[in-house]
Amino acid sequence: MENKQQMELGTKSISKLLFSMAIPAITAQVINLLYNMIDRMYIGHIPEVGATALTAVGVTMPIIMVISAFAALVSMGGAPRSSIMMGKGDKDTAEKILGNCTTALVLISVTLTAVGLIFGEKMLMTFGASENTIKYALDYLNIYAFGTLFVQLALGLNAFITAQGFAKMSMLTVLVGAVLNIILDPIFIFGFNMGVKGAALATVISQGVSALLVMKFLTGNKTLLKIKKEYLKIDFKVLLPCIALGLSPFIMQSTESILAISFNTSLLKYGGDLAVGAMTILSSVMQFSMLPLVGLTQGATPIISFNYGAGNGKRVKEAFLLLLKISLIYSIGLWAITMLSPQIFAKMFTKDAELINISIKAMRIYMAASLLFGIQISCQQTFIALGNAKTSVFLAILRKIILLIPLIYILPLFLQNKVNAVFLAEPIADIIAVTVTSILFTIQFKSVLRELDY
């Protein structure tokens, strides 16, 4: 099994390998989003208090996103590094990385659970909870906090399954949890009349089952890298490079809530509730449309990392160029649809003619540079796959923190249409970020290929 799996990462046709790795990863992304949406649909239909409960759960989302971001901090840096070590034939170091990351995820879980239980109410009020919603928000968060360990292990360690080339198993752990959550939601929410608490409990149990499946696989006989007791002790020389590499996805995920607040407060000021409603539609379209790109890059990362570790520059270059080509085709296609027929997306979310009208205009501005997404995500993820922590962190900070958030507040000062100015911040930030990313990647990728004598 071990030789076969490693042989495929190092010798199998790149196109077939990418396809076999990416399809399960994309499927897992879609499943994860769908079951989150279904979760909210159930909550929204709780008799009498559904709307309030749904709003309350929405208030908890920034905290939940940060919890997920901490899983990425450890796993999205640790998993590519373990693939690189596997490519070098250094299985011991790869297993040390897995063991250290497992312990780190547990320690982070304990800390986040304590913080959530102690400071949960204050954080929720900061993120927009009111006297009407705080009770339901706390009901949800207090139960969810106890399942933090399951979330960290399920999300964090699943990346190490994908990193070894077991994409189908990685998808299965997500699928089982999602299906179980969909089944348990109505039972706990309506059958046991637990309301929001039932939704949280269903999520915790489902994540617990996913975590159990992940742990069972990584301690079983089918895995290439196994969680071993002797590697669980923290070795900062092993762990810190993983954390450094994971900073990029951590920043990208954890700043989503700050970005949402920046957009919503500015749009509320200049355009009122309709503009905020349009932003909700745009962000939903963006989130869903990015899933195939995220899954595609997750499928490509182990291929690039393994072959980089193995010193095979030809396969590294071939994998990147194929990733870039497919990502560009997808992002250009997405851009064409949003420019030519934005009403298709707007009408999925609302029947309000006025909201549809403003969403159509806003989408053409907001998504104007989306045809470049393929370049941005391919290059940025390849930096991570190659273990380049400094550049990947800089690029994560550049687009959102240095460019996008300031532009949201600066552009309305200079343009007459304030609402359009806020939406325009997105494509301007994208164009600048893609330009910088492309230049840096071209320079550094050539250096990598020279290092690999290709």
Side-chain angles (χ1 to χ4, degrees):
M1 173 67 75
E2 180 173 335
N3 290 334
K4 180 186 176 184
Q5 202 71 27
Q6 290 185 342
M7 190 180 297
E8 286 190 349
L9 286 171
T11 61
K12 189 177 179 179
S13 162
I14 293 291
S15 57
K16 291 180 179 178
L17 196 56
L18 181 58
F19 182 80
S20 65
M21 296 283 286
I23 294 300
I26 293 169
T27 305
Q29 290 289 325
V30 174
I31 290 167
N32 199 41
L33 180 65
L34 286 177
Y35 100 74
N36 282 331
M37 289 172 63
I38 292 170
D39 199 34
R40 294 174 206 176
M41 287 168 61
Y42 280 131
I43 291 170
H45 285 87
I46 296 173
E48 298 179 11
V49 299
T52 304
L54 184 61
T55 303
V57 172
V59 172
T60 68
M61 289 312 293
I63 298 173
I64 292 171
M65 287 167 67
V66 169
I67 291 173
S68 299
F70 272 101
L73 175 66
V74 176
S75 64
M76 298 305 286
R81 283 188 59 79
S82 69
S83 287
I84 291 172
M85 294 305 165
M86 285 172 63
K88 290 181 177 180
D90 190 352
K91 184 181 176 184
D92 284 344
T93 301
E95 288 189 327
K96 283 180 184 177
I97 291 171
L98 173 58
N100 271 242
C101 287
T102 302
T103 301
L105 287 168
V106 173
L107 294 175
I108 288 172
S109 301
V110 173
T111 304
L112 290 177
T113 300
V115 169
L117 293 174
I118 296 170
F119 302 106
E121 186 170 359
K122 289 182 179 179
M123 289 191 292
L124 289 170
M125 294 303 291
T126 302
F127 286 121
S130 65
E131 291 182 4
N132 294 327
T133 60
I134 188 63
K135 177 186 179 300
Y136 300 107
L138 269 177
D139 283 346
Y140 191 89
L141 183 62
N142 285 341
I143 292 176
Y144 189 91
F146 280 109
T148 302
L149 176 63
F150 301 144
V151 174
Q152 293 292 306
L153 294 179
L155 293 180
L157 294 182
N158 205 20
F160 286 90
I161 297 177
T162 305
Q164 299 175 63
F166 295 105
K168 290 181 181 178
M169 183 63 200
S170 177
M171 179 189 72
L172 181 64
T173 62
V174 176
L175 179 61
V176 170
V179 171
L180 185 60
N181 193 75
I182 291 169
I183 294 171
L184 293 179
D185 258 339
I187 295 173
F188 289 155
I189 295 172
F190 306 112
F192 295 158
N193 200 29
M194 293 178 68
V196 170
K197 291 181 179 178
L201 184 60
T203 300
V204 167
I205 292 172
S206 302
Q207 291 283 13
V209 171
S210 289
L212 187 63
L213 287 174
V214 170
M215 291 295 293
K216 184 179 179 181
F217 182 82
L218 289 174
T219 54
N221 296 323
K222 292 183 179 180
T223 184
L224 308 182
L225 303 179
K226 191 173 288 191
I227 297 174
K228 295 179 179 177
K229 185 178 179 181
E230 60 266 31
Y231 294 146
L232 291 175
K233 184 179 179 181
I234 295 290
D235 180 347
F236 288 106
K237 289 182 180 179
V238 173
L239 182 62
L240 289 181
C242 300
I243 299 295
L245 190 57
L247 273 176
S248 173
F250 173 78
I251 291 168
M252 291 172 67
Q253 289 189 32
S254 61
T255 53
E256 278 298 316
S257 55
I258 301 172
L259 189 61
I261 292 169
S262 299
F263 266 119
N264 289 342
T265 52
S266 292
L267 289 170
L268 187 63
K269 178 181 178 181
Y270 298 120
D273 289 336
L274 268 179
V276 176
M279 187 65 227
T280 302
I281 292 174
L282 298 187
S283 59
S284 298
V285 171
M286 180 76 84
Q287 182 185 26
F288 195 81
S289 62
M290 285 298 101
L291 290 182
L293 285 181
V294 173
L296 187 63
T297 55
Q298 285 183 353
T301 297
I303 304 170
I304 295 171
S305 296
F306 181 90
N307 285 287
Y308 173 64
N312 194 332
K314 181 181 179 181
R315 286 178 66 81
V316 169
K317 183 178 180 180
E318 186 182 348
F320 166 71
L321 290 177
L322 183 59
L323 171 64
L324 178 63
K325 181 180 178 180
I326 297 173
S327 297
L328 261 177
I329 291 171
Y330 175 82
S331 61
I332 291 171
L334 172 67
W335 172 82
I337 295 171
T338 55
M339 293 302 107
L340 296 173
S341 304
Q343 66 274 10
I344 293 174
F345 298 102
K347 289 178 180 179
M348 288 180 182
F349 293 90
T350 183
K351 294 180 180 178
D352 186 289
E354 197 174 0
L355 180 55
I356 289 173
N357 188 46
I358 189 175
S359 297
I360 288 172
K361 293 176 181 177
M363 193 174 297
R364 287 193 170 115
I365 299 171
Y366 185 78
M367 302 284 284
S370 61
L371 75 167
L372 301 175
F373 284 160
I375 299 173
Q376 179 71 23
I377 196 165
S378 298
C379 293
Q380 193 163 332
Q381 190 61 37
T382 300
F383 274 125
I384 295 173
L386 296 172
N388 191 329
K390 291 180 180 178
T391 306
S392 60
V393 169
F394 167 70
L395 293 176
I397 294 173
L398 173 68
R399 182 180 171 273
K400 288 187 180 178
I401 299 175
I402 297 176
L403 293 173
L404 186 50
I405 292 175
L407 283 170
I408 289 170
Y409 297 105
I410 293 171
L411 289 179
L413 301 176
F414 297 96
L415 298 177
Q416 188 173 358
N417 190 318
K418 310 297 185 185
V419 173
N420 284 353
V422 175
F423 290 125
L424 190 60
E426 178 75 25
I428 291 177
D430 289 339
I431 290 169
I432 296 172
V434 169
T435 302
V436 174
T437 300
S438 300
I439 293 170
L440 285 175
F441 187 84
T442 300
I443 295 169
Q444 296 191 26
F445 196 58
K446 285 181 180 178
S447 176
V448 167
L449 293 179
R450 283 196 299 270
E451 175 193 333
L452 300 175
D453 293 325
Y454 179 75

